[in-house]
Amino acid sequence: MTEITICMEEDGMGVLGNRRSESRTLEYKEALTKSYLKTVSAFANYDGGSVIFGVQDNGEAIGIENPEQLRLSVENQINDNIHPRPRYLLEQYEEDGKVLVELKVEAGSQPPYYYQKKAYIRNDTSTIEVSDYEFNDLILKGRNLTYDKLSSPNQELTFNKLTDTFQNETNNALSTNDLPAILGLYTSGLGYNNAGLLFSDQNHFPGIRIVKFGKDENTIWLRRDLENISMIELMENALETYRQQYQPEKIEGAKRITKSMIPEESYREALANALVHRNWAIDSPILIKMYPDKITISSPGALVEGVQPDTYLRGAMSKFRNPVIGWIFLRLGYIEGLSTGVMRINAPYANACQKPEFEFLSNALVITLPVLNDTPRLTSEQNQIYQLFNINRELSLKEIQKLTGLSSSSARNNTNFLVQRHILERIGGGPKTRYRKSTMR
């Protein structure tokens, strides 16, 4: 259904308002050219968006001379060139005496939406053709399916490892024959799905590659490829490798103490996150890089469609990419829910100087977990001061006091503590004294 309306802005903001720069859901066009149809495809395939005609790339309104003809042309071009036909709305405005036309495209329910037999996606402020795996995701979305629910190419599967683990973890003595159907790995008439193959003893999907580096990436201490084993064994073996590398035993008095250089809870949650949310259609393993000062876990595939980085970091993610896998991990206690992962990764670092980092790439999510073995634990006030220097190169004591809201003595005492622990360092002296992150760390 197409609607065309003519509006007048009455709030003084105009159609552009605070939309003065292009974004993933907004594109400007000075005039009508067919290149905007790629963006229509992208908006319909994903989260929707607007194309505003009569605006330069820098956000300056220049207007449209014949808006009636432009609206008619847009309607005809979309109806003739985008298949299936998306839902959209055309609105006409005046901005500083100049006429603008806004094309609002809804996120569609029948992807892929094609322009000239190709499907498109927005990459920040540009529009590009979807990759092969993104195209497959669109097809699955249009069929209301997920990759883990597709029929497995191998129907001769056994589940000895899964059965043993499930019985041990849940005290539920189900047979190997009953378990796949109960866990959603098998459907009568359709057979085993891809989730069944992943949890089977015959799993052939790319698994996990672990590499341990020395002082630089030219020095490799360990290389381990976990493959052709059940998802359960992938999880267990990757955890065991972590424990061998980051949980050394130390003798304290008459006791042998195991101390974690990187919190196991954080590593375990990041590992489970990678297995549950990765895109299994991508023919690449999860890559775990181990360094003397950190671990990085790279999970193939961008965030699940509809989830943005800020939503993910707030713990407001509302769906699994692979719901069958996610549900089994929930049953086994490997994860606690949809929205607790980031919180559980961050929690052990609450009072530490260094924090986990999350990098969102077009084809991967990378989580970095820093080593804590020699990092002092900080009070909330000390941590508050330290975090200021993530966005400020240098600060005076008065600036620290103002930004934190601490009293003069508290700001001074906590800053001195950070200097004594070589977390911060002083620059200059007297009334011109300033502070920055220590170059000794």
Side-chain angles (χ1 to χ4, degrees):
M1 179 179 179
T2 306
E3 298 182 23
I4 301 177
T5 62
I6 299 177
C7 307
M8 295 296 292
E9 292 295 304
E10 297 178 355
D11 58 4
M13 291 291 291
V15 61
L16 297 181
N18 59 2
R19 300 186 298 174
R20 290 291 172 177
S21 60
E22 293 182 306
S23 67
R24 188 179 52 82
T25 57
L26 177 64
E27 181 169 272
Y28 295 140
K29 290 292 181 183
E30 295 185 27
L32 182 64
T33 62
K34 282 194 172 182
S35 62
Y36 81 94
L37 291 169
K38 296 180 180 178
T39 302
V40 173
S41 164
F43 287 160
N45 279 326
Y46 292 96
D47 300 325
S50 292
V51 180
I52 303 181
F53 296 93
V55 182
Q56 293 179 329
D57 290 344
N58 62 5
E60 181 181 351
I62 59 174
I64 297 295
E65 290 186 3
N66 192 336
E68 294 79 9
Q69 181 59 47
L70 184 141
R71 295 199 312 271
L72 180 61
S73 296
V74 167
E75 184 176 15
N76 289 335
Q77 288 174 0
I78 292 177
N79 294 345
D80 292 343
N81 291 280
I82 307 294
H83 305 285
R85 186 181 300 176
R87 291 177 60 88
Y88 61 92
L89 172 68
L90 282 164
E91 293 185 335
Q92 181 175 317
Y93 303 87
E94 283 194 14
E95 179 92 4
D96 297 330
K98 302 178 179 65
V99 177
L100 308 179
V101 174
E102 180 172 4
L103 167 64
K104 298 180 178 179
V105 182
E106 292 185 13
S109 60
Q110 296 177 295
Y113 290 84
Y114 299 93
Y115 169 57
Q116 294 184 345
K117 300 181 179 180
K118 295 180 180 179
Y120 292 87
I121 184 175
R122 289 287 280 180
N123 183 14
D124 196 11
T125 60
S126 62
T127 302
I128 59 175
E129 187 177 352
V130 297
S131 64
D132 290 342
Y133 74 84
E134 288 166 336
F135 182 72
N136 289 334
D137 281 349
L138 287 173
I139 293 176
L140 292 175
K141 178 184 174 184
R143 295 167 58 190
N144 197 29
L145 288 173
T146 55
Y147 187 77
D148 61 349
K149 293 182 180 179
L150 294 180
S151 178
S152 165
N154 182 1
Q155 291 293 313
E156 301 295 325
L157 305 178
T158 60
F159 298 90
N160 295 319
K161 181 62 179 179
L162 176 62
T163 303
D164 290 344
T165 303
F166 189 83
Q167 291 176 350
N168 291 334
E169 295 293 336
T170 65
N171 295 319
N172 194 333
L174 293 170
S175 71
T176 304
N177 293 330
D178 294 334
L179 192 60
I182 292 173
L183 295 181
L185 306 178
Y186 179 90
T187 305
S188 179
L190 297 177
Y192 294 111
N193 53 31
N194 280 334
L197 180 55
L198 281 160
F199 280 99
S200 75
D201 305 315
Q202 291 75 32
N203 176 22
H204 68 253
F205 281 92
I208 299 175
R209 174 168 295 167
I210 301 176
V211 183
K212 177 69 182 294
F213 297 100
K215 61 181 180 180
D216 55 45
E217 293 196 352
N218 293 321
T219 306
I220 297 177
W221 289 353
L222 170 73
R223 188 193 303 271
R224 189 177 186 191
D225 287 321
L226 306 178
E227 54 190 7
N228 300 321
I229 54 178
S230 165
M231 285 269 284
I232 304 297
E233 291 176 282
L234 289 175
M235 183 81 178
E236 290 178 349
N237 291 352
L239 272 170
E240 182 58 30
T241 303
Y242 150 81
R243 290 169 182 150
Q244 292 170 356
Q245 302 299 323
Y246 291 92
Q247 290 187 341
E249 290 186 345
K250 295 184 179 181
I251 305 298
E252 294 187 1
K255 295 182 178 180
R256 189 183 298 270
I257 307 294
T258 298
K259 292 188 176 181
S260 297
M261 298 167 61
I262 289 176
E264 180 168 333
E265 180 182 350
S266 299
Y267 176 82
R268 181 186 181 92
E269 194 68 34
L271 174 61
N273 182 87
L275 288 167
V276 170
H277 294 294
R278 68 151 291 172
N279 190 328
W280 286 101
I282 300 176
D283 190 24
S284 298
I286 294 168
L287 180 59
I288 300 178
K289 294 183 177 181
M290 297 180 167
Y291 301 87
D293 63 338
K294 64 184 177 182
I295 292 177
T296 66
I297 300 176
S298 180
S299 174
L303 287 176
V304 62
E305 191 265 326
V307 176
Q308 300 306 315
D310 60 335
T311 304
Y312 176 89
L313 293 173
R314 292 199 314 271
M317 189 166 59
S318 60
K319 58 183 176 180
F320 287 123
R321 183 193 299 276
N322 304 292
V324 180
I325 297 171
W327 185 72
I328 294 174
F329 268 48
L330 278 169
R331 290 286 301 271
L332 293 174
Y334 291 171
I335 58 176
E336 290 197 354
L338 281 173
S339 58
T340 62
V342 173
M343 178 184 70
R344 289 169 63 83
I345 291 171
N346 286 329
Y349 290 88
N351 294 321
C353 294
Q354 295 170 295
K355 305 291 184 183
E357 296 179 2
F358 301 83
E359 186 177 8
F360 304 94
L361 306 178
S362 61
N363 61 352
L365 167 63
V366 182
I367 299 177
T368 299
L369 305 175
V371 163
L372 290 180
N373 63 329
D374 61 352
T375 303
R377 305 293 286 181
L378 304 181
T379 67
S380 60
E381 292 181 347
Q382 291 159 1
N383 187 57
Q384 183 183 8
I385 293 173
Y386 177 78
Q387 295 304 319
L388 293 176
F389 292 87
N390 289 331
I391 54 177
N392 299 279
R393 179 176 174 81
E394 296 179 3
L395 291 171
S396 67
L397 195 57
K398 286 186 177 180
E399 289 170 332
I400 292 172
Q401 180 185 352
K402 180 178 179 181
L403 290 171
T404 59
L406 297 174
S407 66
S408 175
S409 60
S410 180
R412 180 176 62 256
N413 292 338
N414 284 298
T415 300
N416 287 339
F417 174 88
L418 296 174
V419 171
Q420 292 166 6
R421 297 303 189 278
H422 305 295
I423 297 171
L424 298 180
E425 63 183 9
R426 291 187 181 90
I427 308 168
K432 294 185 178 180
T433 299
R434 299 182 68 79
Y435 299 87
R436 68 183 180 192
K437 283 187 178 182
S438 176
T439 56
M440 295 175 61
R441 295 181 62 81

